[in-house]
Amino acid sequence: MDRQALTYFLETFGCQMNVLDSQLVEGQLQAHGLRRVSSTRDADLIMFNTCSVRQHAEDKVLSRLGELKRVKLHRPDTIIGVLGCMAERMKNELFEQAPHLDLICGPGELFRLPELLADVAESRTPVAALTDSLSRRTSKVNRGHEVDPLEVLDQSRTTDVSANVLQAYVRVQRGCDKFCTYCVVPFTRGPERSRPPAQIVDEARRLVDAGCREITLLGQTVNSYVHPEDGRAVRFAELLERVNDIDGLDRLRFVTSFPADWDEDIFRVMRDYPRVCPYLHIPAQSGSDRILKAMKRTYTVAEYLRLMDTAREYVPDIALAGDFIVGFSGETADNFQSTVDLVRRVEYKSLFVFKYSVRPGTAADRSQLDDVPAEIKAQRNNELLAVQSEISLRQKQALVGQTVEVLVEGYSKAARKARSANNGELVQLTVQSEQDRGSEATREPLSNQLVGRTPHDLITVFNGTADHIGRLVHVRVDSASPLTLFGQIAD
Ligand code: 5AD
Ligand code: SF4
């Protein structure tokens, strides 16, 4: 096929791991001469990198695929592919649901994508690339040698195609061994395997050399990272220290942490190394011991709370972020109240709340009923978010008058809208909503509004110029909403 002429459209659903996979896939495709387009209309290849964590995420992709039936009718040469977790979970069932689909490729096979696409283009028959389950029998520390083919994707990284080199994700680990009873990830992403530390540090260094200021290390249970080296085990705290030592790096973050595997050494590194941001995403999932047990989370509420207290002893201003599932099988009003109590007690910086969604093949699907009605799930979801919103607003209002350090990511959404509405020319728009408004004090045009994050991952909006983008600036906070700080540049 004439690859020079080919264009691709890639839409990503789901978590940061998928965002990273998509960046790496794009790097590969562009290295093969393919060109990105932003509409399916102009694309020779249409691909979705998908998420299976909740039914809702899968439904969105299935409906997008449905819309593409027409495209395939009009342009039969178009190649349509489903990448990522849905491919791995649904396997050939996907071809039954969407007969116009040409390719399915699981998350562990993405490194073969260019070859698979060439195959499809040539043979015009559907192709499936799925991972036969990797062994979970080998001890975790020695699994490194099993992952060589998978590493191709990470190692093929070309920094110039990352959409955003200011901030980058670096994978430290693939898969998950926890098998929380509700979760599909161990089935779609396979067993937990850590990458060699030298490879991770090398990749991070190349990103920093290319201008990246902030690195986020990614793993499903990032703190369980372990890899053998010279007859000993390198654990996550040591890996953090090594990445921290890269010259030119400003900020280092990591997600997601699993409470039961915590190692106090990680808190020590967070306390002693200023580049490591005081931010910890550490899902509790529920505030009820009975539900935690049914979820097989392997910790109790008391243990989780003790861990959060220890976090604050080491890093007093630490920003904690959590995930909660509401309406899990058998969750009573009392159990939910325990979750509300936990949220009030921990005082998170932010929360991600999810309504329980049964995942076929998981332990909870086999042994537990999905017995909380949808309306109750929705009600609990809203209540928990409302509790958090109150906490978030209080925390942010306490920062009014203080100065925060912000890594400037770019123009705010409102500024981008204002600019595109006027073909890039500056324009004075009226203030529309609290989220969109400019700084009260200066009343500068919305088109000068910049956005960035503090080390605590607080979104901050202020006025500035294009010169500020990509820099660390100090912003004096003059007001706050539950999600955003508003202020003015202080330096
Ligand atoms: N239903 C609802 N939420 C889920 N999550 C994982 N599996 C499910 C499910 N079956 C949530 C968890 C996890 C986050 C990424 O998604 O809270 O931390
Ligand atoms: Fe899923 Fe639990 Fe693994 Fe997280 S730790 S990916 S919730 S199985």
Side-chain angles (χ1 to χ4, degrees):
M1 64 180 166
D2 176 9
R3 286 189 177 165
Q4 291 303 323
L6 289 186
T7 54
Y8 71 89
F9 170 90
L10 174 63
E11 186 172 348
T12 306
F13 297 82
C15 64
Q16 291 112 322
M17 206 54 109
N18 269 10
V19 172
L20 171 61
D21 278 342
S22 286
Q23 285 172 1
L24 298 175
V25 158
E26 288 204 45
Q28 281 188 311
L29 296 180
Q30 292 181 18
H32 280 80
L34 279 80
R35 189 167 54 82
R36 182 193 171 89
V37 290
S38 53
S39 153
T40 54
R41 224 175 316 128
D42 310 319
D44 300 308
L45 315 173
I46 302 175
M47 288 167 294
F48 301 112
N49 191 7
T50 60
C51 170
S52 282
V53 119
R54 282 169 290 278
Q55 186 60 46
H56 180 63
E58 292 195 345
D59 289 344
K60 261 196 294 195
V61 171
L62 291 172
S63 115
R64 300 280 278 124
L65 279 175
E67 292 161 16
L68 293 179
K69 254 189 216 141
R70 272 202 359 249
V71 172
K72 194 77 178 178
L73 260 167
H74 294 302
R75 290 191 286 128
D77 281 350
T78 314
I79 294 175
I80 302 175
V82 168
L83 319 179
C85 288
M86 265 176 90
E88 198 63 50
R89 190 190 79 71
M90 294 177 71
K91 305 194 179 1
N92 290 328
E93 188 194 329
L94 257 173
F95 288 126
E96 284 156 33
Q97 294 216 17
H100 53 301
L101 195 56
D102 299 288
L103 169 78
I104 62 174
C105 181
E109 304 297 313
L110 293 173
F111 68 99
R112 293 168 51 198
L113 197 61
E115 168 209 327
L116 296 166
L117 288 168
D119 243 27
V120 176
E122 218 170 274
S123 69
R124 289 284 145 198
T125 47
V127 167
L130 304 167
T131 311
D132 292 330
S133 54
L134 276 161
S135 161
R136 285 181 198 270
R137 273 170 307 182
T138 328
S139 108
K140 198 169 96 167
V141 188
N142 292 319
R143 274 188 203 151
H145 68 276
E146 293 184 29
V147 295
D148 282 349
L150 296 186
E151 292 305 332
V152 176
L153 187 61
D154 292 283
Q155 285 176 309
S156 71
R157 179 172 208 149
T158 44
T159 43
D160 48 333
V161 274
S162 299
N164 185 357
V165 287
L166 184 65
Q167 293 154 307
Y169 295 128
V170 173
R171 182 173 2 242
V172 306
Q173 164 201 72
R174 283 175 187 271
C176 180
D177 276 354
K178 300 297 176 219
F179 286 96
C180 301
T181 56
Y182 51 81
C183 185
V184 78
V185 170
F187 303 95
T188 60
R189 289 198 177 260
E192 181 189 319
R193 292 141 291 158
S194 295
R195 295 178 72 194
Q199 227 182 63
I200 295 166
V201 172
D202 197 53
E203 187 175 325
R205 186 176 292 119
R206 278 188 286 120
L207 285 160
V208 172
D209 288 346
C212 174
R213 312 284 300 265
E214 178 179 304
I215 283 187
T216 303
L217 302 179
L218 292 187
Q220 240 74 45
T221 56
V222 74
N223 53 309
S224 344
Y225 175 91
V226 58
H227 200 279
E229 189 181 82
D230 303 331
R232 53 185 284 276
V234 176
R235 294 185 186 277
F236 189 64
E238 188 174 346
L239 180 72
L240 262 186
E241 284 179 342
R242 293 193 196 178
V243 179
N244 174 85
D245 287 343
I246 295 172
D247 272 344
L249 177 68
D250 288 319
R251 290 181 177 180
L252 180 54
R253 303 182 191 278
F254 54 95
V255 287
T256 297
S257 294
F258 186 74
D261 284 351
W262 196 262
D263 162 9
E264 230 172 283
D265 253 4
I266 305 172
F267 285 145
R268 183 185 53 73
V269 175
M270 293 180 82
R271 178 195 64 196
D272 295 344
Y273 293 75
R275 287 171 180 171
V276 182
C277 293
Y279 171 81
L280 184 62
H281 180 214
I282 188 154
Q285 309 296 4
S286 170
S288 146
D289 279 336
R290 192 178 69 76
I291 297 294
L292 286 177
K293 199 156 181 216
M295 291 175 163
K296 201 169 137 281
R297 289 290 289 183
T298 70
Y299 51 84
T300 63
V301 174
E303 283 163 349
Y304 181 85
L305 285 172
R306 237 185 339 266
L307 187 62
M308 298 306 99
D309 289 344
T310 312
R312 288 197 163 110
E313 280 162 26
Y314 276 90
V315 186
D317 65 341
I318 196 165
L320 299 168
D323 291 0
F324 286 90
I325 295 176
V326 293
F328 185 65
S329 313
E331 185 188 75
T332 64
D334 273 0
N335 298 150
F336 173 66
Q337 191 51 48
S338 304
T339 296
V340 173
D341 293 345
L342 175 66
V343 167
R344 287 198 191 281
R345 162 81 157 68
V346 173
E347 298 214 12
Y348 291 95
K349 186 240 19 158
S350 54
L351 277 196
F352 302 94
V353 182
F354 306 103
K355 289 171 272 189
Y356 174 54
S357 165
V358 186
R359 303 290 57 221
T362 56
D365 174 40
R366 287 194 301 272
S367 63
Q368 286 154 325
L369 294 172
D370 182 17
D371 54 1
V372 178
E375 317 83 77
I376 305 276
K377 285 180 185 169
Q379 208 179 312
R380 291 179 186 171
N381 182 80
N382 294 345
E383 184 178 337
L384 203 56
L385 286 175
V387 168
Q388 180 57 40
S389 186
E390 215 181 275
I391 296 167
S392 295
L393 183 62
R394 200 168 352 106
Q395 284 174 350
K396 289 192 180 61
Q397 279 173 341
L399 291 171
V400 171
Q402 294 191 27
T403 298
V404 291
E405 184 206 71
V406 178
L407 180 60
V408 188
E409 292 168 16
Y411 286 107
S412 71
K413 215 189 261 174
R416 277 181 281 137
K417 219 174 358 177
R419 282 169 181 267
S420 68
N422 208 28
N423 287 331
E425 301 272 312
L426 298 190
V427 60
Q428 182 90 46
L429 287 187
T430 46
V431 171
Q432 289 156 346
S433 70
E434 203 214 3
Q435 291 285 316
D436 278 359
R437 79 206 164 98
S439 165
E440 292 282 6
T442 56
R443 286 273 177 215
E444 279 192 45
L446 274 176
S447 44
N448 290 344
Q449 204 178 65
L450 299 175
V451 66
R453 282 168 201 260
T454 70
H456 298 84
D457 199 44
L458 301 172
I459 296 166
T460 309
V461 163
F462 51 96
N463 284 319
T465 63
D467 288 351
H468 291 116
I469 297 171
R471 281 173 39 198
L472 286 171
V473 299
H474 287 97
V475 172
R476 201 173 50 77
V477 179
D478 47 41
S479 64
S481 75
L483 295 178
T484 316
L485 296 175
F486 301 92
Q488 297 170 60
I489 293 186
D491 14 278

